[in-house]
Amino acid sequence: MKYLVAILFVLSSLPLAAQTFSVKGKVFEYGKTDPIPYANVLLLTVSDSSQVSGTITEIDGEFELTGIREGQYLFKIQYLGYQNYFKTLLVSSNQDLGKISLKEEATALNEVVVAARRSTGTQRSDTTMYNADAFKTMKDASAQVLIEKLPGVVSEGGVLQAQGENIAQILVDGKPFFGNNVQAALQNLPAEVIQSIEIFDQKSEKAQLSGFDDGERLKTINIITKPNRRKGQFGKTTAGFGTDDRYLVGASVNIFNEDRRITLTGLTNNVNMLNYSSDANSQADGRPQEGIVKTNILGMNYTDLWGEKIKVTGSYNYTNRENVGIVSRVRDFVTTNEENQTYTETARDVRINHEHQANLRLEYNPNSKNRILYIPRFSARFENENSSFFGKTNNGAIPINQVENQRTGDYQDFDFFNRLIYSHKFDKPGRTLTLRSILHNGWNIDDSDRKARNVFFEGDVARTERIDQRTSRERQGLRWETGISFTEKVGEKGQLEAEYEIGNRANDSDQRVFNVEGGDFEAGTMMLDTALSNVFLSNYLTQEFELGYQFTGTNFKFQTEVQYQNAKLENTQDFPRPFDLNRKFTAILPTVRMEYKFSPSTNIQVDYDTRTAEPQIRQLQPVIDNSNPLQLRTGNPDLDQSYTQEIRVRFRSQNPDTDRSWFLFTSSSFVNNFISNSTFIANETTEIQDGIVLEKGSQLNRPVNLDGYWDLRSWLSYGMPLDFMKSKLNLNMGGGVTRRPGQVNDLIGFNNSQRLSGGFSINSSISDQIDFNIWSRSSFNNVENTLNPNLNNQFFQQRFRVNFNWIIWEGIIYRLDLNHQINTGLNAGFNNNFSLINMSIGKKIFKNQRGEISLMAYDLLGQNANVRRNITETFIEDIQTNVLQRYFMVSFTYNLRRFSKGMDEDRYNEMYQERNN
């Protein structure tokens, strides 16, 4: 790595071949003080109008074109809904064009003629921007339907991914929308209000303020709304009732008035929908394939500009959910010999929870030099559990032990997070000062009762043990952190940063376990079990000193940092036997970041990061957890912090002329002192501590530090238009190799797994009368274990999905959602191949066709199933859960659309008729 750094420093110091200049300015709406974000800014040749350079305006309307050679150019700004701005520009020095005003295009709504295929999108640095109009959807489609048509966007296991990484948040016109609930955000916006979509890696608040990248990024989608859709009321409401007493009632209403935007949403249903969606056919992220779920939701999102200096965004969500889950699992354990030890379990779990979540973001800009940002978050969760399971351990066909377990519990979790950032820009360009602090407090209170019947087999003899216990656990965590950073410009293109940070994480855990005499939890005597009770405190104090350098050239950006970290871990046990254990750690944490632009539409990013991670309180606390008496767990106060090195490469290319795109993401991580799992399997009855006996065949699991963990993974996507069928094709493939160290009976071994996957999708863009998406993905997995080759295994999964919507005639609409899955190589009984088919037929009603009555069949063939495989360092398991199966439902949906500019419902309907003719 030191050679890479040296090479990058040499490259960054190479002189430019010719002098270049910059052009900057700020774009506003004519007659107003509102900036226009994400407008296209182009610099064209005078002779043939070919593009020389281009960018889009930032959220505050600012833009800057760099690397411009001396000469005369045609300068152009364009933004949907506004008149194009043209200016002849002679560049012989750095140009500051100041404020530029765009006038609204009065006839924008009627401009519907397109002479040629519209470009899908463009690439700017790490931001991929798509034109929403280039992707046709049904008239009443949600934003999620549109987003899933974009190149490089897929849904994996209920999680939306873009360019190989999970989407972490949704912004609307640059402002947070429904916090980190991606599905709720996308379901609460109709596709027709969207002008364009940006996909990018959003930097941390601190990095955005200081201009110095700290490596903290969130894969983000920013939805830019059409200017003429930013004032009005729009949304949906649905009500449905079906067989087996299935019901669904939901609504989402957006009230937009330029900067002030309010979204209200509500949902009640027992058809496994977690977020409101009017498409009852949907099998997407809103429908978990585990258990039968009843959900009630109330939510609100609020965005506004208070005066000219305060921006506010907030959201609140209340969720009440009941989940009835039935799970079957088969777990093959890693052993140190040729034994075939397996564990089978059947469980039933009923959980009812109530959750409140509130988020707020206040940004105060008193002037152009100072900025204050305050971000609080609060959540409260109350859960009730009533569960039972039957588990059995076998060595081949020979039984070792079994357990019947019943548990009821009440759990309360609270979390309050605060972040405060102050940033100051000095008069000297590039000189900034940033102060930041974090205060995070969380606590939980758990009370549970448990009855267990354990049976241990020794030849033909079976010994039974009964457990009746009441557990009370209280945990509290307090984290504080404060830091200061200072940046200074060095030369024309360089910048230095010096940073200091100090913080502490304090955790306190108090667990008391009582044995209940006679199993009478109402009147029986409670005896404290000191072997299972524990009071434990942990403090982790860190200080970090960092020095960094950043170089920003025309096409090349380079940054390197070196951080010195000093950490102190203090573990204190007060009960049952007091002890103190203090540890000190020091670490050098280098980072290197590089970005190179081959062209305005093609770039590559390379990041090298290092980090440490301290053990969690549950991993440190040395108390026995006998939730499953056959598989005991305990903590390890001797754990060290882990040290991770990670390299990430992102390549993006989006050709606006051919609509062909390439996305490559690859990462590799190597971990020293990886916190793994050590399993002790008793070959005979063993006393592991006073009062705790491990029966033959039972297990004790505890975390340990092991070296040798590494993970390599990559993802590649290629997109291209299929003009002959007015659709877009996306091809993708991925691969990964993971090496996990584990320990069994003091012997260290490795679980080595290899993954290879590939797939394609075809997304139509024909009209708002017909829409289809065809998606397929296949994955092959190979697992090898160095301690027990009997666990070596290969398994294959193939998934195929078709989503088809068609307005047949006179408002009659047909919808189909088909999902077919093939599984091979799993344990007996888990290789389920099934087809989940949802289908509906509906009729648009009312003069403007805003309403719809439909009849829907869910799981038409009655084959729905859910199977998955988990791989850890000490076992491989297959799991199957109960799922929602066949029912029929009649529903009514109404679309609300009322926008300003004198456009009433009739005029809105006329606009659509004009566009379709």
Side-chain angles (χ1 to χ4, degrees):
M1 180 53 63
K2 62 182 180 181
Y3 299 109
L4 173 61
V5 174
I7 292 172
L8 294 176
F9 266 122
V10 171
L11 289 174
S12 67
S13 62
L14 292 177
L16 294 177
Q19 187 176 10
T20 59
F21 305 101
S22 65
V23 177
K24 64 180 181 179
K26 195 168 186 178
V27 180
F28 287 85
E29 187 173 353
Y30 180 78
K32 298 183 180 180
T33 60
D34 300 332
I36 298 181
Y38 316 113
N40 291 312
V41 180
L42 305 173
L43 201 63
L44 313 173
T45 60
V46 177
S47 58
D48 59 2
S49 296
S50 60
Q51 183 174 329
V52 176
S53 181
T55 186
I56 60 174
T57 56
E58 302 292 344
I59 192 66
D60 58 1
E62 292 184 352
F63 68 88
E64 183 173 11
L65 302 172
T66 58
I68 309 303
R69 297 180 183 273
E70 183 176 357
Q72 189 175 35
Y73 300 94
L74 183 63
F75 179 74
K76 179 181 179 181
I77 301 178
Q78 60 184 22
Y79 192 67
L80 185 64
Y82 291 83
Q83 297 177 13
N84 290 338
Y85 175 88
F86 290 96
K87 179 183 179 70
T88 301
L89 200 62
L90 180 62
V91 178
S92 58
S93 61
N94 292 333
Q95 300 274 335
D96 186 349
L97 303 180
K99 296 182 178 179
I100 301 173
S101 298
L102 298 187
K103 293 183 178 181
E104 190 169 353
E105 178 64 69
T107 60
L109 291 177
N110 295 322
E111 293 177 357
V112 296
V113 178
V114 179
R117 171 174 51 83
R118 186 167 186 171
S119 173
T120 298
T122 58
Q123 185 73 39
R124 190 199 67 166
S125 187
D126 69 340
T127 300
T128 309
M129 186 171 182
Y130 296 101
N131 299 313
D133 288 348
F135 302 87
K136 299 294 184 181
T137 63
M138 305 292 283
K139 189 167 66 173
D140 53 0
S142 68
Q144 181 157 338
V145 174
L146 174 61
I147 296 294
E148 290 183 349
K149 287 178 174 288
L150 304 182
V153 176
V154 297
S155 181
E156 279 289 325
V159 177
L160 199 64
Q161 295 181 338
Q163 302 168 5
E165 300 174 89
N166 292 346
I167 299 295
Q169 63 177 349
I170 301 295
L171 308 180
V172 176
D173 293 324
K175 301 178 181 66
F177 195 59
F178 277 94
N180 59 359
N181 193 332
V182 174
Q183 278 72 43
L186 294 179
Q187 290 293 345
N188 278 284
L189 274 180
E192 64 192 76
V193 306
I194 300 175
Q195 173 177 284
S196 56
I197 302 128
E198 289 183 321
I199 301 177
F200 63 98
D201 300 309
Q202 187 179 62
K203 298 176 183 178
S204 69
E205 300 287 355
K206 175 248 177 184
Q208 293 179 58
L209 293 172
S210 68
F212 215 89
D213 191 353
D214 59 5
E216 296 182 17
R217 298 173 182 173
L218 295 175
K219 183 64 73 174
T220 300
I221 288 180
N222 182 34
I223 293 175
I224 303 166
T225 59
K226 298 175 181 178
N228 49 33
R229 294 294 180 266
R230 297 177 182 174
K231 192 172 185 179
Q233 303 84 43
F234 54 94
K236 278 186 179 181
T237 182
T238 302
F241 186 77
T243 58
D244 301 324
D245 293 327
R246 299 296 175 195
Y247 63 88
L248 165 67
V249 178
S252 172
V253 178
N254 298 275
I255 306 168
F256 280 21
N257 187 5
E258 300 296 346
D259 292 315
R260 178 177 296 171
R261 302 178 181 188
I262 300 173
T263 299
L264 303 173
T265 185
L267 173 68
T268 179
N269 78 102
N270 63 356
V271 292
N272 282 30
M273 280 194 174
L274 304 186
N275 296 294
Y276 171 60
S277 170
S278 61
D279 182 7
N281 274 359
S282 175
Q283 303 173 27
D285 310 314
R287 282 182 184 264
Q289 289 296 299
E290 294 187 10
I292 306 299
V293 185
K294 296 180 182 178
T295 298
N296 301 291
I297 292 176
L298 287 174
M300 182 186 74
N301 192 84
Y302 173 77
T303 300
D304 202 359
L305 184 64
W306 293 349
E308 297 182 355
K309 298 180 178 181
I310 300 178
K311 300 177 182 178
V312 58
T313 301
S315 65
Y316 167 78
N317 283 280
Y318 166 74
T319 304
N320 165 232
R321 188 165 290 145
E322 177 183 336
N323 191 330
V324 179
I326 300 174
V327 180
S328 298
R329 74 179 74 232
V330 175
R331 183 176 292 176
D332 296 313
F333 291 110
V334 176
T335 58
T336 56
N337 48 44
E338 296 299 315
E339 290 184 351
N340 181 23
Q341 188 172 117
T342 61
Y343 172 76
T344 58
E345 180 184 285
T346 301
R348 188 178 190 275
D349 189 10
V350 179
R351 293 180 182 264
I352 301 174
N353 64 66
H354 303 263
E355 185 171 9
H356 303 265
Q357 288 183 315
N359 301 277
L360 187 64
R361 187 181 191 275
L362 288 170
E363 181 181 333
Y364 175 52
N365 297 277
N367 50 54
S368 61
K369 300 292 185 181
N370 296 281
R371 184 182 180 194
I372 299 174
L373 184 63
Y374 176 52
I375 303 175
R377 294 195 298 265
F378 175 77
S379 67
R381 180 183 176 92
F382 308 90
E383 184 171 81
N384 173 266
E385 175 194 10
N386 188 344
S387 65
S388 62
F389 69 85
F390 174 79
K392 188 173 184 179
T393 308
N394 280 28
N395 182 13
I398 302 174
I400 300 176
N401 51 45
Q402 69 182 42
V403 59
E404 294 179 64
N405 191 92
Q406 292 182 326
R407 182 170 60 196
T408 59
D410 292 293
Y411 313 108
Q412 302 176 48
D413 296 279
F414 304 91
D415 190 87
F416 187 36
F417 174 89
N418 297 269
R419 184 193 299 272
L420 181 65
I421 303 176
Y422 167 73
S423 177
H424 175 73
K425 293 182 179 180
F426 295 88
D427 291 334
K428 182 181 178 179
R431 179 181 293 175
T432 67
L433 177 69
T434 304
L435 305 173
R436 64 190 183 280
S437 63
I438 291 175
L439 182 62
H440 186 188
N441 192 10
W443 63 99
N444 57 62
I445 302 171
D446 301 341
D447 296 296
S448 62
D449 294 336
R450 186 166 68 92
K451 288 178 172 288
R453 178 177 176 269
N454 308 322
V455 181
F456 303 96
F457 300 96
E458 188 67 44
D460 295 331
V461 178
R463 183 173 58 84
T464 300
E465 173 188 79
R466 294 186 180 275
I467 298 177
D468 299 291
Q469 290 178 338
R470 171 164 290 172
T471 301
S472 174
R473 181 187 298 113
E474 294 185 15
R475 287 178 177 172
Q476 183 167 3
L478 178 63
R479 170 194 171 202
W480 62 264
E481 184 179 294
T482 185
I484 181 172
S485 63
F486 177 80
T487 65
E488 179 74 20
K489 190 172 183 180
V490 180
E492 288 294 321
K493 300 181 179 181
Q495 189 177 34
L496 285 175
E497 183 195 47
E499 182 177 352
Y500 171 73
E501 183 178 283
I502 183 172
N504 186 67
R505 292 178 175 89
N507 293 283
D508 182 355
S509 180
D510 185 340
Q511 175 173 301
R512 307 295 173 99
V513 177
F514 299 88
N515 293 315
V516 182
E517 184 177 339
D520 186 353
F521 286 87
E522 297 296 329
T525 302
M526 302 286 178
M527 300 292 295
L528 181 66
D529 192 328
T530 58
L532 299 176
S533 301
N534 184 275
V535 179
F536 190 80
L537 298 91
S538 175
N539 279 280
Y540 182 70
L541 178 68
T542 60
Q543 295 188 75
E544 298 171 349
F545 306 85
E546 183 179 289
L547 186 64
Y549 171 77
Q550 183 183 89
F551 173 86
T552 304
T554 303
N555 296 316
F556 179 71
K557 185 176 182 179
F558 169 76
Q559 178 180 310
T560 183
E561 298 168 286
V562 177
Q563 182 185 102
Y564 171 76
Q565 183 188 79
N566 183 284
K568 183 178 181 181
L569 179 62
E570 297 179 345
N571 296 326
T572 302
Q573 180 172 285
D574 291 340
F575 181 84
R577 289 183 296 273
F579 75 82
D580 294 303
L581 180 62
N582 299 329
R583 314 287 298 279
K584 290 185 177 180
F585 310 99
T586 59
I588 303 296
L589 303 172
T591 64
V592 178
R593 313 188 198 288
M594 182 192 74
E595 179 181 346
Y596 182 76
K597 292 194 298 184
F598 298 96
S599 69
S601 61
T602 303
N603 69 83
I604 188 171
Q605 289 180 324
V606 180
D607 293 337
Y608 169 73
D609 280 298
T610 55
R611 62 182 179 274
T612 60
E614 80 280 11
Q616 303 300 309
I617 182 69
R618 60 180 176 79
Q619 297 172 320
L620 293 167
Q621 189 174 11
V623 61
I624 297 294
D625 178 0
N626 66 341
S627 300
N628 186 334
L630 307 184
Q631 299 166 22
L632 304 182
R633 305 193 67 86
T634 187
N636 179 7
D638 292 322
L639 287 175
D640 290 340
Q641 65 179 12
S642 62
Y643 184 94
T644 301
Q645 302 179 75
E646 184 175 12
I647 300 174
R648 296 182 300 273
V649 178
R650 299 177 176 91
F651 174 83
R652 307 174 180 90
S653 179
Q654 179 85 22
N655 190 321
D657 296 325
T658 63
D659 266 355
R660 296 176 185 268
S661 61
W662 287 95
F663 300 107
L664 170 67
F665 173 75
T666 181
S667 70
S668 59
S669 58
F670 307 86
V671 184
N672 293 332
N673 281 331
F674 175 71
I675 300 179
S676 182
N677 196 57
S678 174
T679 300
F680 172 69
I681 303 175
N683 293 319
E684 59 184 8
T685 302
T686 306
E687 185 175 13
I688 55 178
Q689 69 180 55
D690 293 343
I692 302 295
V693 174
L694 195 65
E695 299 290 344
K696 180 180 179 180
S698 298
Q699 300 180 6
L700 175 66
N701 298 280
R702 68 194 294 262
V704 293
N705 291 111
L706 296 176
D707 291 331
Y709 175 92
W710 50 264
D711 178 77
L712 308 174
R713 62 184 61 201
S714 62
W715 183 87
L716 175 67
S717 172
Y718 172 71
M720 61 174 289
L722 299 177
D723 291 335
F724 70 93
M725 57 186 299
K726 294 184 179 180
S727 301
K728 294 175 174 60
L729 171 68
N730 289 283
L731 305 174
N732 63 79
M733 64 179 299
V737 181
T738 302
R739 187 175 189 245
R740 298 173 180 271
Q743 189 174 47
V744 179
N745 287 4
D746 296 327
L747 294 180
I748 297 176
F750 296 91
N751 243 356
N752 301 313
S753 61
Q754 301 89 36
R755 305 171 300 280
L756 183 64
S757 63
F760 72 89
S761 66
I762 299 176
N763 302 299
S764 71
S765 190
I766 300 172
S767 73
D768 60 4
Q769 301 294 304
I770 187 169
D771 182 56
F772 64 84
N773 301 293
I774 302 172
W775 180 90
S776 178
R777 188 172 180 85
S778 302
S779 62
F780 174 80
N781 297 264
N782 182 63
V783 181
E784 299 174 351
N785 187 272
T786 60
L787 286 180
N788 189 348
N790 286 337
L791 293 183
N792 294 352
N793 179 255
Q794 296 178 345
F795 61 97
F796 173 82
Q797 184 180 77
Q798 200 276 334
R799 287 170 292 166
F800 178 77
R801 183 178 178 185
V802 175
N803 182 273
F804 178 75
N805 301 281
W806 181 23
I807 298 180
I808 303 172
W809 174 75
E810 294 293 331
I812 297 176
I813 183 169
Y814 170 78
R815 295 185 175 95
L816 169 70
D817 202 354
L818 181 151
N819 192 340
H820 181 68
Q821 184 168 315
I822 299 173
N823 302 292
T824 64
L826 305 182
N827 279 289
F830 288 83
N831 291 317
N832 289 8
N833 303 329
F834 67 90
S835 294
L836 173 59
I837 299 178
N838 300 338
M839 189 181 301
S840 71
I841 186 76
K843 175 68 172 69
K844 299 287 186 179
I845 58 176
F846 304 139
K847 180 181 177 181
N848 50 30
Q849 295 195 344
R850 298 270 187 84
E852 180 184 330
I853 296 177
S854 64
L855 172 64
M856 187 269 293
Y858 179 86
D859 187 21
L860 188 63
L861 302 182
Q863 296 183 1
N864 194 19
N866 180 53
V867 178
R868 70 176 187 272
R869 166 162 286 191
N870 296 326
I871 301 173
T872 73
E873 56 272 8
T874 55
F875 62 81
I876 299 173
E877 71 174 357
D878 294 327
I879 296 176
Q880 182 166 341
T881 65
N882 64 319
V883 293
L884 185 67
Q885 292 191 316
R886 181 166 50 203
Y887 70 89
F888 299 87
M889 177 175 284
V890 175
S891 64
F892 168 75
T893 299
Y894 182 79
N895 292 275
L896 171 66
R897 299 291 187 271
R898 181 180 290 275
F899 298 100
S900 62
K901 308 294 183 184
M903 184 184 300
D904 58 15
E905 293 184 355
D906 292 336
R907 177 68 188 102
Y908 181 79
N909 187 55
E910 291 173 7
M911 181 193 72
Y912 269 105
Q913 292 177 350
E914 291 169 2
R915 192 181 74 175
N916 292 332
N917 290 334

